[in-house]
Amino acid sequence: MSTPTAARPKYVGGAVKRREDPRLLLGRGRYVADIALAGTVHMAVVRSPHAHARITGIDASRALATPGVLTVLTWPDISAEVGPIPCIDAYPDSLPALQTALADGVVRYVGQPVAVLVATTEYGAEDALALVDVTYELLTPVVTMDDALAGETLLHPELGTNVVTTIAQDVGDVDAAFAAADRVYEETFEIHRYAPMPMETRGVVAEVDPISERLTLTTSTQFPHLVRGFLSGCLGIPESRIRVVAPDVGGGFGAKCEFYCEELLAPLLALRLRRPVRWIEDRREHLVASTHAREQRHTVRVAVLEDGTVTAVDARSWTSSGAAYSTLTTTPASISSAMLRGPYRIPHYRARAHCVLTNKTPLAVYRGAGHPQAVLVMERMMDVIAADLGRDRVALRLQNSLTPAELPSDRGTAIVLAGPVVYDTGDYGFCLTRAAEMIGLDEDWPAQQAAARAEGRYLGIGLANLVEETSIGPYESSVVRVDGSGAVTVLTGSSPHGQGHVTTFSQLVADELEIDIERITVLYGDTDVVTDGVGTFASRSAAIGGAAARKAAGVVKDKAMAVAAHVLEIDVADLEWRDGAAHVRGLPARSLSLGELAQASTAWNAPLPGGMSFNLEGTYQHQAAGIAFSNATHAAKLAVDVQTGEVEILDYVVVHDCGTVINPTIVEGQVHGGVAQGIGGTFMEDLPYDADGRPLARTLQDYTTPTASDMPWIRTDHMESPTPLNPYGMKGAGEGGATGAPGALVNALQDALSVFGVHLTVDGPWTPDRVLDLVPEDLPWA
Amino acid sequence: MKPAPFDYRRPTTVAAALTDLSSVAGARVLAGGQSLVPLLSLRLASPPVLVDINRVAGLDLLTTTDSRVHIGATVRQATVLASPVAARHLPLVVAALTRVSHPQVRARGTVVGNLCHHDPASEMPAVAVALDAEFTVLGPDGTASTVAAADFFGDQFEVAVPVGGLVTEVSFPVAPPGSGAGFFEVARKARDYALLSAAAQLTVTDGRISAAAVAVTGLGHRPLRMDTVEDALRGAAITADALRAAARLATGDAVPHVNRRSTAAYRTRVLPVAVHRALRAAAAQLEEDR
């Protein structure tokens, strides 16, 4: 008879404090810029001041004559050695518009690398930039979407067009549905350009390791393993001769889910100079040299029956992709077109999504990728339709939402790199109903709104439903090993940049092995330590990487049981695993701990039987069985100061479902951070260009991001619909905050100002002056 | 961030500072560094010499004399905010300083340096002009002169300090009994540079406004005193209607923002509103103190 013991509390589902925070909060983080190798030299990049120009001459003689300047390279100096920057999400029929590490005769955006130099000090390198004389012949810049589509000036004349990719999604019989529609709505929405803007800019240190003579690149990236592959491909060096390290990474949000020119140039220079080469991007560079995001135009036609059933959507979109492909260039357009319908049934759907070249910084993914734009478009349309039909906004959405009974639902669309869109689980209607209830959107709301308006207070509530692609594959790897003290090391191929992997992965492994979380060390971010991995993007790490880690811990546990059976000379069936030890059933005193079993696994004089390997270690590669779709409803309540145009967010509610929650604190943190970025994009952040294609946001004085002082109190509610696609039911949670916020906020602004006949078709930024332009001048003063 | 090369001097006396400032054309004073250092890092400013006055004796004093409060050139904004003297005598300075950036910046930033930098979007020049602040300006030879705020601020980023000269202090008049102060700004985000700021101080004697001081920044390239508003308020009873009517008289020419922080039309439209809010805040403070 075994002694009944209290069930060991589970870590998964608990609000475990982030294990990485004390180190980071005490300033003990180690970022690229903190790395100081003896003999380091400093790289600086000469960048194009023009949006579109032909390079007529580069004279580096003044720079080279300056003491401390070691070398200056231009495209002809390196073109034989380096391939173009790869794009991994091109469609088979995408036209080629790849970027080279240094401009090949023509510059196509302000900030494009033209030449690179190395000096013995960082300041000397910066000084030398002004001594590289580049002459240009100006070409006509293609700045706006209309310029690009007119096609009078082509960025790549040999392609014959500025439209380099067109993505098609076709579901059902759209034309028949429109023919049968009672009402048809058509709108065009403009989504502006802004950027992820991580706190830490990019940076690299490249060196040739003096012992192995391998190339080592330390870079602020979201996916060191993919960088290793890209570098290998571009330089023609086998992956076995390359090590890539991602140290602490201070935010990425997609901007570091890219392989950049500087990540190729610094290694090339390290190989040539045989000295460590360092480059730390400054904020002014970041604003033009790191990928931008979001800018799209959507034109949608929606077919609706008199009873409110939305039967079809016919959508066209144009993404201002910038001057060339980035690593992930079609993904935003692909996601927007595949996911536009969100949670709504809409059986007939057609989309054509175009990626359009413009003389701007390349545009790529940013938290939510194409989802936020799609959500804004669809959710604005639901409000437009509800207003026109005189229907309640919540009721119209509920009527058109897929129910749990209709899931799984093959949506008939597909996302590049991820695969077919088949919604797995979720209760969209529940989240919507709950969010509406929490924010106070009920039958009394219009009366409350009118009463407030009579006092000069203009209040609005906005809703946005979202379903989002998360947990994409193809796989993630993990190794779990136990040492003789019983301490556990977890290696994961998913390299974090603020997500809290150390905490969540520890929770998963601790529960599997039934041990204390403090015994676990999580390692990542170094391709020599963790040889196989994919990375952190698309809300995939906790679900895919976490599943791999827990499965690897399961492998370790199975082996530990087998070793215990051998040592104790009993059948494994007579053992049970409990509290981090193998116990003999019925003899609770007889047990072997994880540490004892690890020691037994490494005993040279007592090898394990049957060819079992030495050491207590397990490896697992978890392959995603399909995309897991998380969902949420955002509800925002705001007040517009109709005298100043300032907007105050009074309340913000997110009811969301990311399947099994590992750590609610971390999930809430992800939601809060994402909402902050949505608030930034909706009310502040903007990357405008002038008519010559010059960016107007040159520093963070021009590019305004929200701070803690600008944040409302966000109330969250969790719902858990585990996905069968994951062994532990987990889905992704990293992007939903950013995905839902713009739609909810713009709908709230519309609700607050609709009394003035406002009809919002722009996502923002709704700065005070733009808001005030919506308000009549002759309004009486409060 | 990587400033261009510069020489760094750290004098300990005013005389030595003036010598250093005169040594090379284009030498700049470094006090709190909260505006200058970012400009250096961006290479938007590249002075050949930086004269760090933080160790110059006697510039870090906050004193009260002759019904004025004197703030030395190295007195931090945070020091003023924490000072009981300022809380009692300079309510408008305190109201505006709380809107100057974040505590981290105010811990280093100086009141005088912020005024001398004269960013047209800055809050404090409005206060200086409204209250008739006075600057003690030393010429390169050490001769001191007193410059009134109305004469101190030139075009944006320009102040009336001779080449090789140094501002050693700014002084503000003590608010008379029965005064209330109000400051209002519109900004793109909390603690950002203002799009438009309005500063107001009202003094009430025997139930009527005996003195009104109102000024704005953000409209043009220099702070602007709202004379017509002040005239309308002087002698009036302090009523909601009087404040509103006076605020509506606020006029001025807005200049466009190069970087599109906001449109000129916006600031022109919001000007009377901002003045009204500042006046209301001043009136509310009077009400509280009663």
Side-chain angles (χ1 to χ4, degrees):
Chain A
M1 291 282 285
S2 64
T3 312
T5 51
R8 185 183 177 82
K10 299 284 186 220
Y11 286 107
V12 170
V16 175
K17 277 192 180 178
R18 280 171 38 110
R19 300 182 69 203
E20 43 276 89
D21 280 351
R23 184 176 68 80
L24 295 171
L25 293 174
L26 290 169
R28 293 179 187 148
R30 166 74 58 100
Y31 301 87
V32 175
D34 298 320
I35 292 165
L37 301 174
T40 296
V41 292
H42 300 268
M43 181 174 99
V45 182
V46 178
R47 298 183 185 279
S48 170
H50 302 299
H52 199 190
R54 184 169 288 111
I55 299 169
T56 52
I58 303 178
D59 180 359
S61 56
R62 287 199 299 147
L64 286 168
T66 306
V69 175
L70 302 178
T71 187
V72 181
L73 299 179
T74 63
W75 177 244
D77 301 320
I78 66 170
S79 59
E81 282 173 68
V82 301
I85 303 295
C87 169
I88 62 172
D89 65 354
Y91 280 76
D93 57 353
S94 290
L95 299 174
L98 296 178
Q99 187 176 189
T100 48
L102 294 172
D104 177 11
V106 175
V107 291
R108 296 187 179 86
Y109 64 96
V110 172
Q112 184 175 0
V114 171
V116 66
L117 62 85
V118 174
T120 50
T121 69
E122 192 173 3
Y123 296 92
E126 188 78 10
D127 294 343
L129 287 177
L131 303 176
V132 178
D133 299 303
V134 187
T135 52
Y136 298 93
E137 175 197 335
L138 296 187
L139 301 172
T140 307
V142 178
V143 184
T144 66
M145 199 80 82
D146 290 331
D147 290 344
L149 294 173
E152 281 174 29
T153 302
L154 300 177
L155 271 76
H156 291 271
E158 72 279 10
L159 301 180
T161 175
N162 288 322
V163 180
V164 287
T165 293
T166 295
I167 300 158
Q169 314 272 6
D170 289 286
V171 185
D173 189 341
V174 171
D175 295 329
F178 273 92
D182 295 321
R183 300 193 189 200
V184 173
Y185 300 86
E186 177 169 343
E187 298 287 350
T188 294
F189 295 93
E190 300 283 351
I191 287 113
H192 74 289
R193 179 173 278 244
Y194 52 108
M197 213 54 61
M199 189 104 69
E200 183 208 19
T201 56
R202 293 185 296 120
V204 296
V205 175
E207 68 161 339
V208 178
D209 177 57
I211 297 171
S212 67
E213 297 202 299
R214 293 156 77 230
L215 183 64
T216 299
L217 173 65
T218 303
T219 179
S220 187
T221 186
Q222 297 173 220
F223 51 18
H225 296 86
L226 269 64
V227 169
R228 179 179 61 183
F230 298 141
L231 197 50
S232 167
C234 287
L235 287 178
I237 296 174
E239 288 198 32
S240 62
R241 305 294 299 159
I242 299 173
R243 174 187 178 201
V244 176
V245 179
D248 277 330
V249 175
F253 314 113
K256 296 173 184 173
C257 196
E258 281 288 317
F259 179 65
Y260 285 98
C261 303
E262 295 86 357
E263 288 171 308
L264 182 51
L265 294 168
L268 183 72
L269 286 159
L271 287 166
R272 288 201 179 189
L273 298 169
R274 289 274 159 168
R275 293 180 71 170
V277 174
R278 176 180 186 269
W279 171 78
I280 304 298
E281 183 183 56
D282 67 30
R283 188 63 67 180
R284 200 164 36 169
E285 287 183 292
H286 184 84
L287 279 157
V288 292
S290 288
T291 48
H292 292 174
R294 302 289 193 241
E295 186 178 2
Q296 288 182 341
R297 173 185 294 168
H298 286 257
T299 295
V300 288
R301 286 198 310 137
V302 184
V304 183
L305 301 181
E306 209 57 59
D307 73 351
T309 304
V310 181
T311 54
V313 169
D314 188 2
R316 294 188 74 189
S317 74
W318 297 265
T319 301
S320 173
S321 296
Y325 286 117
S326 46
T327 312
L328 290 167
T329 216
T330 72
T331 294
S334 181
I335 290 178
S336 295
S337 62
M339 298 298 297
L340 190 94
R341 290 172 294 164
Y344 307 115
R345 225 168 267 120
I346 311 177
H348 307 285
Y349 178 63
R350 174 165 62 213
R352 295 293 178 270
H354 309 284
C355 296
V356 183
L357 297 181
T358 45
N359 286 120
K360 297 182 180 181
T361 295
L363 180 141
V365 296
Y366 169 24
R367 203 174 199 167
H371 288 103
Q373 301 95 316
V375 169
L376 179 119
V377 169
M378 193 66 232
E379 293 300 313
R380 281 294 300 123
M381 289 311 296
M382 292 309 275
D383 275 8
V384 166
I385 296 164
D388 185 63
L389 294 177
R391 291 284 305 277
D392 175 75
R393 289 183 271 170
V394 176
L396 183 77
R397 284 172 167 85
L398 281 175
Q399 176 188 342
N400 284 284
S401 291
L402 291 160
T403 61
E406 292 171 85
L407 301 184
S409 170
D410 184 341
R411 303 292 279 154
T413 58
I415 298 172
V416 71
L417 293 178
V421 174
V422 182
Y423 291 177
D424 48 346
T425 56
D427 189 338
Y428 312 140
F430 176 87
C431 286
L432 170 60
T433 308
R434 177 86 184 110
E437 174 191 308
M438 285 174 72
I439 202 80
L441 182 58
D442 51 29
E443 63 271 21
D444 296 337
W445 169 244
Q448 289 173 30
Q449 201 179 18
R453 204 157 50 227
E455 296 169 8
R457 301 179 69 228
Y458 287 72
L459 309 182
I461 288 179
L463 293 172
N465 283 324
L466 67 98
V467 180
E468 56 162 353
E469 165 216 33
T470 76
S471 315
I472 69 166
Y475 73 95
E476 199 52 86
S477 67
S478 185
V479 177
V480 171
R481 64 174 72 113
V482 186
D483 70 19
S485 74
V488 175
T489 304
V490 180
L491 313 185
T492 172
S494 170
S495 181
H497 46 286
Q499 288 78 5
H501 284 28
V502 170
T503 307
T504 48
F505 285 51
S506 295
Q507 288 177 260
L508 290 161
V509 170
D511 275 1
E512 186 66 28
L513 296 177
E514 299 182 44
I515 60 172
D516 290 341
I517 205 166
E518 290 76 19
R519 279 162 66 181
I520 297 172
T521 301
V522 181
L523 299 178
Y524 48 80
D526 181 336
T527 60
D528 273 10
V529 173
V530 187
T531 54
D532 186 27
V534 179
T536 296
F537 49 89
S539 304
R540 65 186 300 280
S541 292
I544 306 298
R550 185 161 188 168
K551 283 285 187 185
V555 172
V556 164
K557 189 168 75 178
D558 290 346
K559 179 167 180 183
M561 290 284 272
V563 172
H566 164 67
V567 171
L568 296 170
E569 297 182 334
I570 60 171
D571 194 283
V572 74
D574 294 326
L575 291 169
E576 62 181 342
W577 190 265
R578 198 174 67 240
D579 269 339
H583 296 263
V584 179
R585 289 183 197 276
L587 288 171
R590 286 213 68 192
S591 68
L592 286 170
S593 71
L594 197 55
E596 290 167 328
L597 292 166
Q599 289 171 26
S601 308
T602 56
W604 292 0
N605 56 357
L608 298 170
M612 278 171 80
S613 59
F614 277 98
N615 300 330
L616 194 46
E617 177 175 311
T619 299
Y620 196 85
Q621 190 187 78
H622 174 65
Q623 299 183 1
I627 307 170
F629 289 88
S630 294
N631 68 280
T633 301
H634 287 228
K637 183 178 184 181
L638 52 75
V640 180
D641 185 327
V642 293
Q643 286 188 290
T644 65
E646 292 173 300
V647 176
E648 183 188 1
I649 301 168
L650 303 172
D651 193 9
Y652 201 100
V653 167
V654 181
V655 181
H656 77 107
D657 188 340
C658 57
T660 305
V661 171
I662 304 170
N663 186 325
T665 303
I666 284 184
V667 169
E668 280 170 19
Q670 288 288 343
V671 170
H672 295 171
V675 169
Q677 289 176 313
I679 289 171
T682 304
F683 295 111
M684 302 172 193
E685 300 180 40
D686 193 12
L687 289 167
Y689 280 75
D690 70 12
D692 295 324
R694 291 200 181 83
L696 296 175
R698 293 167 52 82
T699 72
L700 290 184
Q701 282 193 18
D702 311 321
Y703 189 90
T704 316
T705 56
T707 63
S709 315
D710 300 292
M711 289 295 291
W713 189 257
I714 298 169
R715 298 187 290 142
T716 55
D717 201 6
H718 301 282
M719 180 183 183
E720 298 193 30
S721 304
T723 177
L725 300 169
N726 183 286
Y728 310 104
M730 304 179 293
K731 305 178 180 182
E735 299 172 275
T739 291
L745 291 165
V746 173
N747 273 340
L749 190 61
Q750 170 71 40
D751 189 37
L753 300 181
S754 59
V755 65
F756 301 132
V758 162
H759 185 71
L760 300 183
T761 55
V762 174
D763 73 319
W766 289 108
T767 51
D769 55 341
R770 285 178 172 145
V771 172
L772 200 59
D773 281 345
L774 304 172
V775 178
E777 292 224 26
D778 54 359
L779 214 59
W781 277 24
Chain B
M1 299 301 243
K2 297 138 290 197
F6 58 84
D7 276 348
Y8 174 76
R9 311 276 171 79
R10 198 171 64 198
T12 55
T13 65
V14 169
L18 289 171
T19 303
D20 287 334
L21 285 166
S22 300
S23 63
V24 182
R28 293 280 299 262
V29 175
L30 175 69
Q34 299 304 297
S35 299
L36 182 57
V37 171
L39 291 178
L40 296 176
S41 294
L42 290 163
R43 298 197 175 204
L44 294 174
S46 43
V49 172
L50 273 193
V51 181
D52 179 346
I53 60 166
N54 283 288
R55 299 201 185 181
V56 172
L59 297 185
D60 59 346
L61 301 176
L62 183 68
T63 54
T64 312
T65 54
D66 302 336
S67 54
R68 292 186 83 86
V69 177
H70 300 256
I71 300 172
T74 58
V75 174
R76 313 291 166 190
Q77 291 153 339
T79 305
V80 175
L81 275 177
S83 141
V85 170
R88 190 162 64 248
H89 293 314
L90 304 179
L92 186 54
V93 169
V94 168
L97 276 181
T98 58
R99 307 299 295 261
V100 175
S101 196
H102 295 271
Q104 293 91 330
V105 168
R106 298 197 296 256
R108 286 296 300 172
T110 64
V111 172
V112 171
N114 176 236
L115 288 165
C116 289
H117 183 62
H118 186 205
D119 188 307
S122 186
E123 290 88 354
M124 282 296 287
V127 175
V129 165
L131 295 184
D132 292 319
E134 291 175 356
F135 294 84
T136 302
V137 180
L138 301 186
D141 60 355
T143 43
S145 55
T146 300
V147 179
D151 304 321
F152 185 74
F153 298 102
D155 210 352
Q156 54 183 338
F157 301 108
E158 287 176 11
V159 290
V161 180
V163 172
L166 178 69
V167 178
T168 55
E169 66 165 49
V170 63
S171 71
F172 294 90
V174 167
S179 295
F183 189 87
F184 179 81
E185 70 178 19
V186 265
R188 297 170 301 175
K189 65 170 181 173
R191 304 297 174 264
D192 192 24
Y193 281 99
L195 301 176
L196 192 72
S197 317
Q201 183 168 293
L202 299 176
T203 307
V204 174
T205 313
D206 300 332
R208 294 206 167 256
I209 297 169
S210 54
V214 184
V216 301
T217 53
L219 202 62
H221 287 155
R222 54 199 305 270
L224 202 60
R225 188 88 181 243
M226 296 282 108
D227 300 315
T228 52
V229 178
E230 295 177 0
D231 291 345
L233 289 166
R234 218 169 285 121
I238 194 153
T239 64
D241 285 345
L243 299 184
R244 190 183 294 118
R248 281 191 181 281
L249 298 173
T251 52
D253 290 330
V255 295
H257 283 161
V258 179
N259 57 7
R260 221 213 146 277
R261 276 184 191 156
S262 70
T263 60
Y266 171 77
R267 280 170 288 135
T268 305
R269 180 170 170 185
V270 171
L271 173 64
V273 173
V275 168
H276 185 223
R277 302 268 174 105
L279 291 172
R280 278 203 318 207
Q285 197 178 66
L286 274 167
E287 191 67 29
E288 262 173 44
D289 292 349
R290 196 172 294 162

